[in-house]
Amino acid sequence: MAPLKIPWNPFDFADPGPCIKVSVMPTDDEMQLGIGLDYPKPLPISALLDTGAHTTIINKVLAINRKLTLTNARVRVSGVGGPCLCDEYACSVSFPNSDLPAIGTLKILAGDFDRGPYSGLIGRDILKLWKVNFDGRSRCVTISI
Protein backbone atom coordinates (compact mmCIF):
# COMPACT_ATOMS: atom_id res chain seq x y z
CA MET A 1 0.00 0.00 0.00
CA ALA A 2 1.26 3.39 -0.97
CA PRO A 3 1.40 5.99 1.79
CA LEU A 4 -1.02 8.88 1.56
CA LYS A 5 0.71 12.26 1.24
CA ILE A 6 -1.20 15.35 2.30
CA PRO A 7 0.15 18.83 1.58
CA TRP A 8 0.27 21.12 4.61
CA ASN A 9 1.98 24.45 5.09
CA PRO A 10 2.42 25.21 8.80
CA PHE A 11 4.07 28.52 7.85
CA ASP A 12 0.88 29.80 6.16
CA PHE A 13 -1.73 31.00 8.67
CA ALA A 14 -4.41 30.70 5.95
CA ASP A 15 -3.72 26.96 5.60
CA PRO A 16 -6.47 25.15 7.55
CA GLY A 17 -4.15 22.27 8.43
CA PRO A 18 -3.73 18.74 7.14
CA CYS A 19 -7.10 17.52 5.86
CA ILE A 20 -8.18 14.15 4.47
CA LYS A 21 -11.22 13.03 2.50
CA VAL A 22 -13.56 10.84 4.59
CA SER A 23 -16.86 9.13 3.88
CA VAL A 24 -19.16 8.11 6.74
CA MET A 25 -22.07 5.76 6.24
CA PRO A 26 -24.15 3.28 8.21
CA THR A 27 -22.38 0.00 8.99
CA ASP A 28 -22.86 -2.94 6.61
CA ASP A 29 -24.87 -4.78 9.28
CA GLU A 30 -27.24 -1.84 9.69
CA MET A 31 -27.76 -1.52 5.95
CA GLN A 32 -28.47 -5.26 5.62
CA LEU A 33 -31.06 -5.06 8.42
CA GLY A 34 -32.61 -1.97 6.89
CA ILE A 35 -34.19 -3.83 3.99
CA GLY A 36 -36.24 -1.40 1.96
CA LEU A 37 -34.65 1.66 3.47
CA ASP A 38 -33.08 4.05 1.03
CA TYR A 39 -29.58 4.80 2.31
CA PRO A 40 -27.80 7.72 0.67
CA LYS A 41 -24.63 7.16 -1.30
CA PRO A 42 -21.37 7.94 0.53
CA LEU A 43 -20.51 11.62 0.49
CA PRO A 44 -16.84 12.50 0.92
CA ILE A 45 -16.15 15.35 3.32
CA SER A 46 -12.95 17.07 4.31
CA ALA A 47 -11.74 16.36 7.86
CA LEU A 48 -8.82 17.86 9.76
CA LEU A 49 -6.26 15.50 11.32
CA ASP A 50 -6.41 16.51 14.98
CA THR A 51 -3.96 14.84 17.37
CA GLY A 52 -5.57 16.74 20.24
CA ALA A 53 -9.03 15.26 19.65
CA HIS A 54 -9.75 12.05 21.53
CA THR A 55 -12.64 11.10 19.24
CA THR A 56 -13.57 11.72 15.64
CA ILE A 57 -16.34 14.29 15.27
CA ILE A 58 -18.50 15.34 12.31
CA ASN A 59 -21.25 17.84 11.67
CA LYS A 60 -24.56 16.71 13.18
CA VAL A 61 -26.45 17.52 9.96
CA LEU A 62 -24.15 15.13 8.08
CA ALA A 63 -24.81 12.33 10.61
CA ILE A 64 -28.56 12.76 10.22
CA ASN A 65 -28.47 13.03 6.41
CA ARG A 66 -26.30 9.91 6.13
CA LYS A 67 -28.88 8.05 8.30
CA LEU A 68 -26.32 7.02 10.93
CA THR A 69 -27.63 5.17 13.99
CA LEU A 70 -27.74 7.23 17.19
CA THR A 71 -26.10 5.21 19.99
CA ASN A 72 -25.90 7.80 22.78
CA ALA A 73 -27.49 11.24 23.00
CA ARG A 74 -26.00 14.30 24.66
CA VAL A 75 -22.45 13.14 25.41
CA ARG A 76 -20.49 15.84 27.28
CA VAL A 77 -17.30 16.77 25.41
CA SER A 78 -14.58 19.23 26.42
CA GLY A 79 -12.54 21.07 23.85
CA VAL A 80 -10.66 24.28 23.19
CA GLY A 81 -13.96 26.13 22.79
CA GLY A 82 -15.21 24.84 26.15
CA PRO A 83 -17.62 22.03 27.02
CA CYS A 84 -20.44 21.07 24.68
CA LEU A 85 -22.95 18.28 24.16
CA CYS A 86 -22.64 15.97 21.16
CA ASP A 87 -24.52 12.89 20.00
CA GLU A 88 -22.74 9.58 19.46
CA TYR A 89 -23.37 7.57 16.28
CA ALA A 90 -22.30 4.18 14.95
CA CYS A 91 -20.90 4.26 11.44
CA SER A 92 -18.52 2.86 8.90
CA VAL A 93 -15.69 5.10 7.71
CA SER A 94 -13.73 5.01 4.46
CA PHE A 95 -11.05 7.21 2.97
CA PRO A 96 -11.71 7.86 -0.75
CA ASN A 97 -8.79 8.36 -3.13
CA SER A 98 -6.39 6.57 -0.79
CA ASP A 99 -5.15 3.06 -0.04
CA LEU A 100 -6.13 3.41 3.63
CA PRO A 101 -8.43 0.55 4.69
CA ALA A 102 -12.02 1.32 5.66
CA ILE A 103 -13.13 0.95 9.26
CA GLY A 104 -16.19 -1.31 9.42
CA THR A 105 -17.68 -0.12 12.71
CA LEU A 106 -16.77 2.95 14.72
CA LYS A 107 -18.47 5.26 17.20
CA ILE A 108 -18.07 8.92 16.34
CA LEU A 109 -19.46 12.13 17.76
CA ALA A 110 -21.62 14.63 15.92
CA GLY A 111 -22.36 18.16 16.95
CA ASP A 112 -22.93 21.69 15.79
CA PHE A 113 -19.69 21.76 13.86
CA ASP A 114 -18.87 24.93 11.98
CA ARG A 115 -15.13 24.94 11.48
CA GLY A 116 -14.75 26.54 8.05
CA PRO A 117 -13.12 24.53 5.28
CA TYR A 118 -13.72 21.11 6.86
CA SER A 119 -16.76 19.21 8.16
CA GLY A 120 -15.07 17.01 10.73
CA LEU A 121 -12.04 16.18 12.82
CA ILE A 122 -10.17 12.88 12.69
CA GLY A 123 -9.30 12.12 16.29
CA ARG A 124 -6.95 9.71 18.01
CA ASP A 125 -9.54 6.91 17.77
CA ILE A 126 -8.62 6.67 14.06
CA LEU A 127 -5.12 8.18 14.11
CA LYS A 128 -3.93 5.38 16.44
CA LEU A 129 -4.47 2.90 13.58
CA TRP A 130 -1.92 4.63 11.35
CA LYS A 131 1.66 5.80 11.27
CA VAL A 132 1.37 9.56 10.81
CA ASN A 133 4.37 11.78 10.08
CA PHE A 134 3.85 15.54 10.41
CA ASP A 135 6.84 17.08 8.62
CA GLY A 136 6.61 20.84 8.79
CA ARG A 137 9.88 21.45 6.96
CA SER A 138 8.80 19.47 3.89
CA ARG A 139 5.22 20.83 4.27
CA CYS A 140 3.70 17.37 4.06
CA VAL A 141 1.87 14.84 6.24
CA THR A 142 2.37 11.18 5.36
CA ILE A 143 -0.02 8.45 6.50
CA SER A 144 0.76 4.75 6.23
CA ILE A 145 -0.34 1.59 8.02
Side-chain angles (χ1 to χ4, degrees), residues 23-42:
S23 288
V24 293
M25 63 212 91
T27 66
D28 287 341
D29 289 342
E30 290 171 325
M31 287 194 285
Q32 288 175 359
L33 292 173
I35 297 171
L37 292 178
D38 187 22
Y39 287 104
K41 293 182 181 180

Side-chain angles (χ1 to χ4, degrees), residues 53-67:
H54 176 68
T55 306
T56 295
I57 184 170
I58 62 170
N59 188 306
K60 190 175 193 173
V61 173
L62 178 68
I64 293 167
N65 288 343
R66 299 291 100 196
K67 297 185 179 181

Side-chain angles (χ1 to χ4, degrees), residues 110-129:
D112 297 326
F113 193 90
D114 184 16
R115 301 288 191 254
Y118 39 86
S119 300
L121 300 173
I122 300 297
R124 294 189 309 265
D125 55 339
I126 292 178
L127 293 173
K128 69 182 179 185
L129 303 173

Side-chain angles (χ1 to χ4, degrees), residues 20 22 24 47-58 87-93 95 101-110 120-132 145:
I20 184 173
V22 179
V24 293
L48 177 71
L49 301 180
D50 187 350
T51 60
H54 176 68
T55 306
T56 295
I57 184 170
I58 62 170
D87 293 333
E88 181 184 77
Y89 290 87
C91 69
S92 178
V93 180
F95 308 94
I103 300 170
T105 303
L106 181 71
K107 289 184 181 181
I108 62 171
L109 296 176
L121 300 173
I122 300 297
R124 294 189 309 265
D125 55 339
I126 292 178
L127 293 173
K128 69 182 179 185
L129 303 173
W130 303 330
K131 179 181 177 185
V132 183
I145 32 178

